[in-house]
Amino acid sequence: MRITFNIHYFTGAGQKVGIVGSVDELGARQTVLAKEMNYQDNGQWSLDVEIPVFVETFDYCYVLKMPDGTTISEPGSRKHKAHLSPGQERYYLFDYWQVVPENPVLYTAAFTRTIFAHASRAYPAKEAGGEVIIRVCNPYIDKDQHIAISGNQNVLGMWQPEEAKEMICTHFPEWEIRLGLNEITFPVEYKFLLRNRQKQECRWEAGENRTLTPLPRHEKATFIVSEYPYRDNRPPWKGAGVVIPVFSLRSEHSFGIGDLHDLKLLVDWAVHTNQRLIQILPVNDTTRTHTWKDSYPYSAISIYALHPVYISLKELGALKDEKKAASYHRKQQILNRKNTVDYENVERCKLQYCRDFFEQEGSRILNSAAFKSFLKTNQDWLIPYAAFCLFREKYHTSDFTRWGEDSRYNPRRLQTLCKENGKVYSELSFTYFLQFVLHVQFRSASDYAREKGVILKGDLPIGIHRTSVDVWIEPAYFNNEEQAGAPPDDFSETGQNWSFPTYNWDIMEKDGFIWWKKRFYKLEDYFNCFRIDHILGFFRIWEVPADFVQGLCGHFRPALPLTVNEIESFGLEWDRRLLKPRIHRRFLDKLFSAEARKHLDAFLIDEDDEHLILKPLCDTQRKIESIFKKHADALSNGIKAGLFTVANEVLFLKDPYEQTKYHPRISGNKSFAYTELSTRAQTAFDRLSNHFFYERHNAFWKAEALKRLVPLIESTDMLICGEDLGMIPASVHEVMTQLHILSLELERAPKLSGEHFACLSKLPYLSVCTTSTHDMSPLRLWWKENPEKRQQYYQSVLRRNGTAPTSCPAKIAEQILKNHLSASSIFTIIPLQDWLAMSDTLKHPRAEDERINIPANPCHYWRYRMHLTIEKLLESNEFNKKIRTMLANCGR
C-alpha cells in the first residue's frame, strides 16, 4: 500500500524533516536510518512510502535533521500510530509535530487504563476509501462521557451541540470520526466538545475553530487527519487515596497478616469513599533467615518473586483433611487476635498450609494449561529463584558465598539440577507453585482495582539485598565492596546504612539498563503507577564503606572528589590527620558515662598527649559491633555508641576509586574534630563543604540522572512518582519536572530553605501530597512528640489561639486532612492511620503503636497491623460519608 506522510513544520537554515518508524521501510526505529522528507512550500513536508499490505499497524515519529548531522526528535515519549484497514491501498496521513500535552500524566496508564478507561470500539466494516478520518486525543473523559464534533456541515450538526456527531474511541485516548468525502464541502470548520451519554451536558473545547482545507483529489484514498489534542478548559483533575502496607491489612479471613484478598476489600473501601488510588509498600520476597528480620519489605532477594506470606489461604482453597483444617483454623484465630504481625509464626503456618495444599492439589495445578503458560513465560527468573531458595535451605544461609560449589552461578549446572525428573524437582515445583498462586491472586486483585476505577500504586525499592538471586546471577551489576544508604537527615543524625550493594552503573548502561527495564516490566503485571523509592539514587547514591555500620562516613557516588590543591584553595591547610579518627581527652565525658570511662583502656590508646585513637582490635565500626554483639546491657551499649562516634571523628574521607582525592565528611561541622580547628579553618571548611555538597555536583548529577532515567521512563507508560525527601540536589526538581515524575510533598518537611512548614496551596501540581510516610511518625504520634513544633503548627498553620492540646483530637486531625486535601497537588494520599485519626471511635487506642518504621534502627521489626478489620471499616457509614463529603468539597 502507498502512504503519503504530511506534516507542517517551519525549519531553520539547513534543517530538514525526517521520519523514522517501527517498520523496515521507515528505518526500523533506527534514527540514523530516518527517511528524509520532501519540502513543498509554506512549511509543508511530505514523503511517499510503500508499506507491505499485510502491515495493519505501526508507530513512527518525526525528527529534525540538523546541518551537523545530528537529529532532534519530537518532544515527549508518545509516538504517532498508524492503524490501517485491510484492503485499503492508498492513505494520506496529515500529522502535527508532537507537543507535550498540557497535563501529560493523564496520558499514563494510571488514567488511560483505570481512571478514565474506555473500551475501544471499531467502526462497522465498509467499502474502503473515499473518506476522511479526523482523530483527536483526550484522556480526560469520564466513563459516561464521549467526544463529539460539530461544525459548519450538515453531517456535523451545523454547530448544534445536541446534533453533534459522536466520535468513536478506537484506541483510547484517541477518538475519531469518519466522514465520506461526498458528505462534506471544503473548507470544513469544526470544534470538539465533551458530551454525556444523554446528550444533556455539553462543554465546548477552548480556542478558535479548527479548519480542514481542501485535500488532494483521490476518490478511493483514505485521508487521516490527526489533530492537536483537545483544548480543555476545565480545572486540573485531582484525586485522593490511601497508603498502607499489605502486611498491615486485617480482615475476617486473613491469617495473622494482610494478604491479597484483603487488598480487594481495601479496594471496596476506596470505592465506597470515592478514593481513586491505593498505595502499597513492596511485596517482593525477602526471605533470608525465616526470622522477623525478614520483615523488612525493602530488602528483597528477588526483583521478580513475590513474598509467599501474602497468599490468601481463603482464595487458595480448603484442605480436605478435616483434622488439619481445624488445626489451621485454631492457629488462624490465635494469630488474628494479636495486635501486631507475628512474622515468624505467620510465615511458618502459612507455608505449611501451602505445602499441605500442594500435596493435595499440586499435581492437578502443575498440569494445568495456566500453570504451564506461567512457567514458560517466567522461567528465565523463576528457575534461578527456585534454585536459590533450594540452596538457601540446603546450606542454611542466603549468603551464596558460603554455598561451596554452588556459590558461583552456573546456568548449565542449574539446567541439569532443575530437570523435571531430577531428585529435587518436587521442592523446586513447590516454589514454582507458590509464585504461580501469588501471580494469579495478585493479578486478580489488580484487575479488580482497575475495573473499579482505583489506581494500584506499587513501590520500587532503590536497592536489592547483597545476598539475593540478582546479585548471585548478575554479579557484574553490583559493587559488594560498598553499602548503599542515605546521608544524615531528619530521620537519622548518623545517616542510614541499608547494607545493600551499590550499582555499577557503567556496566548497566552498556546493555541499555535492561535489568532496570525488567523491573519496570514486572511492575506492569500488577500496577499502572509506582513510586521510585529514594529517586535520588538515580542522581547519586550514598555509598558507605564496608567497615562502617552507621552511614555518617559515607560519600556520594558518582562524585567529583577534591584534590589537595582544591582543598587548600578554600584556605584550609591540608593535614593527613584530618583523615584519621581520633578524640581529644576533653570530650570523653561527653561520649562516655563515668562508669564507661573506667573501661576505655581496653579500646583506646594514646596518639599523643591530648588525643586517643582506637586500638587495632576495634578500629572500625564492624569490629566494634562484633565485640559487643552478645552484650546488650546499658553499659555495653553506651561504650559501643561512644566508640562508634570516635570511629566517625574525621573531617575528610579518601575516595576509594581515586586514592589521591578526598571527600569532606558530611556534617563535619557537628564533629568534635571540627571544634579543634581554628576559627579561620572552620570558616574554610564550611565554605568548602557548602560548595562540595550543594554546588559542585549539580550539573554533573543532572546529566547522570537523565542518562539513567530517560531510557527507563521511555520503556513504560506507567505513572511514575519519586520519593525525593532528604538532602536534595538542586537538579532533582529540574529533572523530575522535565520527565513529569510526581514529587513527594510533606507539610512538615518543607523543601524551601527557611520554611518551618510547607505551604500546601503552593505545592507543584505534579506532586503527591501526604501527611506522613512509613518512615515517619503518623499524625497523632508526631503531634505528641515535639511540644514546641506542635505549638508552632497550632498557631501558625491551624490559626488557633491558646495552648495546643497534648494529644491530637479528632477535630484537629480532620482539619489537618482537609488542608491536605485542598492542596494544589494532583494526588493527596493519606496513610490509613491518619484517616482513622479523624474518628474517636475508629482510631487506634495507642498512637505509639501506629508507627511502621524507624529509619535510624537498621534492625527494626516491621509489624504494624491495623487494629480493626476492613469489614468493620466498610460498615462505618458516618465515617465513610465524612470522607466522601470532604473529597467532594475539596474537588477530589
Side-chain angles (χ1 to χ4, degrees):
M1 78 186 77
R2 189 180 177 193
I3 300 177
T4 301
F5 296 89
N6 299 272
I7 190 169
H8 185 261
Y9 189 85
F10 285 104
T11 56
Q15 298 176 343
K16 295 183 178 180
V17 176
I19 183 171
V20 60
S22 57
V23 291
D24 291 342
E25 292 73 15
L26 293 177
R29 294 200 176 101
Q30 300 296 313
T31 304
V32 293
L33 300 178
K35 301 295 182 181
E36 188 174 304
M37 301 185 75
N38 303 307
Y39 183 70
Q40 306 301 316
D41 56 41
N42 197 31
Q44 294 290 342
W45 296 80
S46 68
L47 179 69
D48 284 349
V49 179
E50 290 288 338
I51 303 290
V53 293
F54 58 79
V55 175
E56 295 184 4
T57 182
F58 63 90
D59 59 65
Y60 59 97
C61 67
Y62 294 95
V63 296
L64 188 62
K65 294 189 169 187
M66 309 301 286
D68 62 0
T70 60
T71 58
I72 299 175
S73 298
E74 295 175 276
S77 58
R78 295 178 61 246
K79 290 180 168 56
H80 302 270
K81 286 184 169 58
H83 303 284
L84 311 175
S85 301
Q88 176 60 36
E89 297 181 358
R90 190 72 174 93
Y91 279 95
Y92 289 85
L93 306 186
F94 294 86
D95 295 314
Y96 62 90
W97 186 267
Q98 291 272 27
V99 294
V100 176
E102 189 172 336
N103 194 347
V105 299
L106 297 186
Y107 289 79
T108 63
F111 292 91
T112 60
R113 298 182 194 170
T114 301
I115 299 295
F116 302 124
H118 285 256
S120 295
R121 296 160 57 193
Y123 264 98
K126 58 174 290 186
E127 184 177 345
E131 64 180 358
V132 177
I133 301 175
I134 299 176
R135 290 175 177 164
V136 67
C137 273
N138 186 9
Y140 190 1
I141 302 178
D142 289 332
K143 293 182 180 181
D144 67 338
Q145 295 177 320
H146 61 263
I147 296 287
I149 181 173
S150 186
N152 65 347
Q153 310 281 314
N154 288 329
V155 71
L156 297 181
M158 295 300 293
W159 300 111
Q160 299 302 310
E162 64 277 5
E163 299 298 326
K165 190 101 169 182
E166 179 177 344
M167 301 184 77
I168 302 299
C169 175
T170 51
H171 303 90
F172 191 70
E174 192 173 79
W175 301 76
E176 71 175 46
I177 184 75
R178 298 191 176 200
L179 305 172
L181 282 172
N182 57 356
E183 295 179 291
I184 57 178
T185 303
F186 294 103
V188 182
E189 287 194 20
Y190 56 95
K191 289 182 79 170
F192 302 111
L193 61 151
L194 269 178
R195 193 171 64 181
N196 66 359
R197 293 299 173 198
Q198 293 75 35
K199 301 184 181 181
Q200 294 171 342
E201 298 179 12
C202 302
R203 179 186 289 268
W204 291 93
E205 68 170 335
E208 300 295 323
N209 294 345
R210 301 175 188 251
T211 303
L212 180 62
T213 55
L215 299 170
R217 297 179 62 85
H218 199 303
E219 293 182 359
K220 293 187 177 181
T222 295
F223 300 86
I224 301 177
V225 179
S226 295
E227 275 284 13
Y228 282 93
Y230 184 91
R231 302 181 299 238
D232 213 321
N233 56 4
R234 290 173 292 173
W237 185 93
K238 295 199 291 186
V242 61
V243 53
I244 186 171
V246 174
F247 64 76
S248 298
L249 298 175
R250 183 190 293 267
S251 77
E252 295 171 1
H253 298 285
S254 49
F255 203 110
I257 193 170
D259 60 39
L260 293 168
H261 176 73
D262 296 343
L263 193 53
K264 291 182 180 178
L265 295 179
L266 191 65
V267 170
D268 290 337
W269 180 69
V271 172
H272 193 47
T273 52
N274 290 342
Q275 296 183 73
R276 308 307 300 269
L277 182 147
I278 292 173
Q279 177 179 333
I280 62 175
L281 270 56
V283 288
N284 293 87
D285 191 4
T286 57
T287 308
R288 294 180 296 108
T289 64
H290 295 293
T291 68
W292 65 266
K293 292 183 179 180
D294 298 341
S295 67
Y296 181 23
Y298 289 88
S299 184
I301 63 165
S302 169
I303 61 173
Y304 303 103
L306 303 173
H307 204 310
V309 294
Y310 297 121
I311 288 176
S312 165
L313 301 186
K314 170 184 169 60
E315 292 190 6
L316 180 63
L319 295 176
K320 295 176 181 177
D321 187 319
E322 294 181 2
K323 186 176 180 180
K324 283 186 176 180
S327 174
Y328 282 116
H329 182 66
R330 288 192 295 272
K331 293 174 181 176
Q332 179 185 29
Q333 290 180 315
I334 292 171
L335 290 169
N336 276 343
R337 280 196 293 267
K338 297 193 173 189
N339 294 328
T340 56
V341 176
D342 181 350
Y343 182 88
E344 292 173 19
N345 280 318
V346 163
E347 189 211 29
R348 182 169 58 252
C349 290
K350 292 192 76 168
L351 273 181
Q352 189 56 53
Y353 186 102
C354 290
R355 283 192 181 276
D356 289 340
F357 188 84
F358 182 67
E359 186 177 332
Q360 174 184 298
E361 304 288 346
S363 178
R364 175 183 61 82
I365 292 173
L366 295 183
N367 285 303
S368 68
F371 173 80
K372 290 179 179 178
S373 174
F374 171 78
L375 181 59
K376 182 178 180 181
T377 302
N378 297 278
Q379 60 183 340
D380 287 349
W381 69 263
L382 185 55
I383 292 175
Y385 163 75
F388 181 93
C389 294
L390 180 77
F391 294 146
R392 178 191 62 208
E393 304 309 309
K394 174 183 176 181
Y395 295 102
H396 306 291
T397 179
S398 65
D399 184 356
F400 49 82
T401 64
R402 295 160 58 191
W403 287 355
E405 62 180 344
D406 297 309
S407 61
R408 186 180 293 274
Y409 175 66
N410 186 331
R412 287 187 178 180
R413 175 173 163 75
L414 216 63
Q415 189 176 15
T416 303
L417 179 75
C418 297
K419 286 183 177 178
E420 281 196 42
N421 57 357
K423 295 179 182 179
V424 296
Y425 187 74
S426 61
E427 185 61 27
L428 295 171
S429 61
F430 176 63
T431 302
Y432 301 158
F433 158 79
L434 291 175
Q435 291 302 313
F436 171 67
V437 169
L438 284 159
H439 174 72
V440 170
Q441 291 190 0
F442 205 174
R443 280 298 291 266
S444 176
S446 174
D447 292 343
Y448 186 75
R450 190 175 292 114
E451 290 163 7
K452 296 287 186 177
V454 176
I455 298 168
L456 198 56
K457 178 181 176 183
D459 198 337
L460 181 78
I462 190 63
I464 190 84
H465 199 273
R466 64 181 56 247
T467 60
S468 62
V469 187
D470 300 271
V471 181
W472 181 48
I473 68 176
E474 301 275 13
Y477 285 154
F478 306 96
N479 176 12
N480 259 329
E481 301 303 314
E482 301 282 336
Q483 309 167 97
D489 55 23
D490 291 341
F491 300 129
S492 174
E493 291 184 356
T494 57
Q496 298 177 49
N497 181 355
W498 304 323
S499 297
F500 304 145
T502 55
Y503 296 119
N504 292 325
W505 283 105
D506 53 340
I507 294 176
M508 290 181 159
E509 184 181 1
K510 289 177 181 177
D511 64 13
F513 305 103
I514 189 63
W515 184 80
W516 283 99
K517 289 178 181 177
K518 287 178 179 178
R519 295 187 75 179
F520 281 29
Y521 301 153
K522 187 59 180 175
L523 285 171
E524 288 177 348
D525 281 349
Y526 315 112
F527 306 103
N528 44 41
C529 171
F530 70 97
R531 161 192 181 270
I532 299 179
D533 166 53
H534 195 69
I535 195 172
L536 305 181
F538 283 90
F539 293 75
R540 79 292 185 272
I541 198 70
W542 186 248
E543 201 169 63
V544 182
D547 285 340
F548 282 87
V549 175
Q550 297 175 328
L552 194 58
C553 282
H555 56 268
F556 287 121
R557 185 188 180 204
L560 304 170
L562 300 162
T563 64
V564 170
N565 286 340
E566 286 179 302
I567 292 171
E568 292 188 331
S569 71
F570 284 88
L572 182 65
E573 185 178 349
W574 178 246
D575 187 334
R576 296 195 65 84
R577 287 178 297 180
L578 300 174
L579 297 166
K580 190 172 183 179
R582 61 180 188 161
I583 191 75
H584 197 285
R585 290 180 182 277
R586 72 173 184 266
F587 300 127
L588 292 179
D589 61 341
K590 295 184 179 181
L591 289 179
F592 303 96
S593 66
E595 183 62 27
R597 291 198 296 275
K598 296 177 184 178
H599 302 271
L600 291 185
D601 287 346
F603 307 104
L604 299 175
I605 190 173
D606 292 340
E607 182 194 43
D608 54 40
D609 292 340
E610 297 180 322
H611 296 90
L612 298 165
I613 60 173
L614 296 164
K615 286 185 173 182
L617 81 148
C618 60
D619 59 0
T620 71
Q621 288 187 345
R622 286 293 173 198
K623 291 180 181 179
I624 296 167
E625 181 184 48
S626 179
I627 290 171
F628 290 94
K629 193 171 187 179
K630 296 181 180 179
H631 304 279
D633 57 280
L635 177 61
S636 297
N637 286 338
I639 296 173
K640 181 175 78 169
L643 295 177
F644 270 13
T645 299
V646 175
N648 286 329
E649 278 296 308
V650 295
L651 287 177
F652 284 91
L653 301 148
K654 183 182 291 186
D655 185 81
Y657 310 102
E658 297 181 85
Q659 295 291 305
T660 60
K661 294 184 179 181
Y662 306 93
H663 302 253
R665 202 209 81 178
I666 199 164
S667 301
N669 60 350
K670 296 181 180 179
S671 69
F672 294 113
Y674 176 84
T675 64
E676 293 191 65
L677 297 177
S678 66
T679 302
R680 180 180 177 184
Q682 287 180 351
T683 302
F685 184 83
D686 291 343
R687 287 178 50 243
L688 180 151
S689 294
N690 185 72
H691 167 76
F692 187 85
F693 291 116
Y694 297 103
E695 299 171 0
R696 183 179 178 89
H697 295 92
N698 284 339
F700 176 63
W701 284 337
K702 180 179 180 178
E704 290 294 309
L706 289 172
K707 183 170 61 177
R708 300 164 184 176
L709 284 170
V710 168
L712 297 182
I713 288 173
E714 290 181 348
S715 72
T716 183
D717 63 354
M718 290 185 287
L719 173 61
I720 302 177
C721 309
E723 183 267 293
D724 56 334
L725 304 179
M727 187 177 178
I728 311 170
S731 57
V732 171
H733 176 70
E734 298 173 30
V735 171
M736 293 179 69
T737 300
Q738 178 179 335
L739 302 181
H740 314 302
I741 299 173
L742 272 57
S743 63
L744 180 61
E745 308 293 337
L746 285 102
E747 186 178 41
R748 63 172 114 154
K751 293 175 179 175
L752 292 180
S753 178
E755 282 191 339
H756 295 291
F757 303 101
C759 180
L760 297 178
S761 63
K762 295 182 179 179
L763 299 181
Y765 174 68
L766 293 185
S767 69
V768 171
C769 171
T770 187
T771 48
S772 58
T773 75
H774 61 267
D775 283 333
M776 295 177 167
S777 298
L779 181 58
R780 292 165 60 219
L781 183 57
W782 171 76
W783 186 271
K784 295 175 66 174
E785 286 176 334
N786 191 327
E788 184 179 343
K789 200 85 169 174
R790 176 179 68 223
Q791 185 63 33
Q792 185 183 25
Y793 185 84
Y794 188 73
Q795 293 179 324
S796 65
V797 178
L798 299 183
R799 307 289 184 186
R800 298 195 177 208
N801 298 321
T803 303
T806 55
S807 61
C808 184
K811 283 295 182 183
I812 285 183
E814 183 177 336
Q815 182 181 351
I816 293 172
L817 265 61
K818 283 181 179 177
N819 291 347
H820 281 74
L821 291 169
S822 300
S824 48
S825 306
I826 185 172
F827 280 110
T828 295
I829 304 176
I830 306 293
L832 184 66
Q833 306 97 301
D834 293 350
W835 275 124
L836 298 178
M838 294 195 304
S839 169
D840 286 327
T841 58
L842 296 179
K843 67 185 181 186
H844 199 291
R846 279 175 44 84
E848 292 78 8
D849 292 343
E850 291 185 317
R851 181 147 193 177
I852 295 173
N853 180 41
I854 301 175
N857 178 9
C859 294
H860 181 74
Y861 190 171
W862 297 61
R863 62 187 315 191
Y864 163 72
R865 198 168 183 217
M866 54 190 293
H867 63 290
L868 74 167
T869 64
I870 307 176
E871 291 91 344
K872 173 75 173 176
L873 197 55
L874 282 163
E875 293 169 359
S876 303
N877 295 327
E878 288 302 314
F879 177 71
N880 295 330
K881 181 181 178 181
K882 178 184 288 187
I883 294 177
R884 290 196 300 271
T885 302
M886 288 171 65
L887 297 188
N889 291 341
C890 295
R892 294 188 183 273

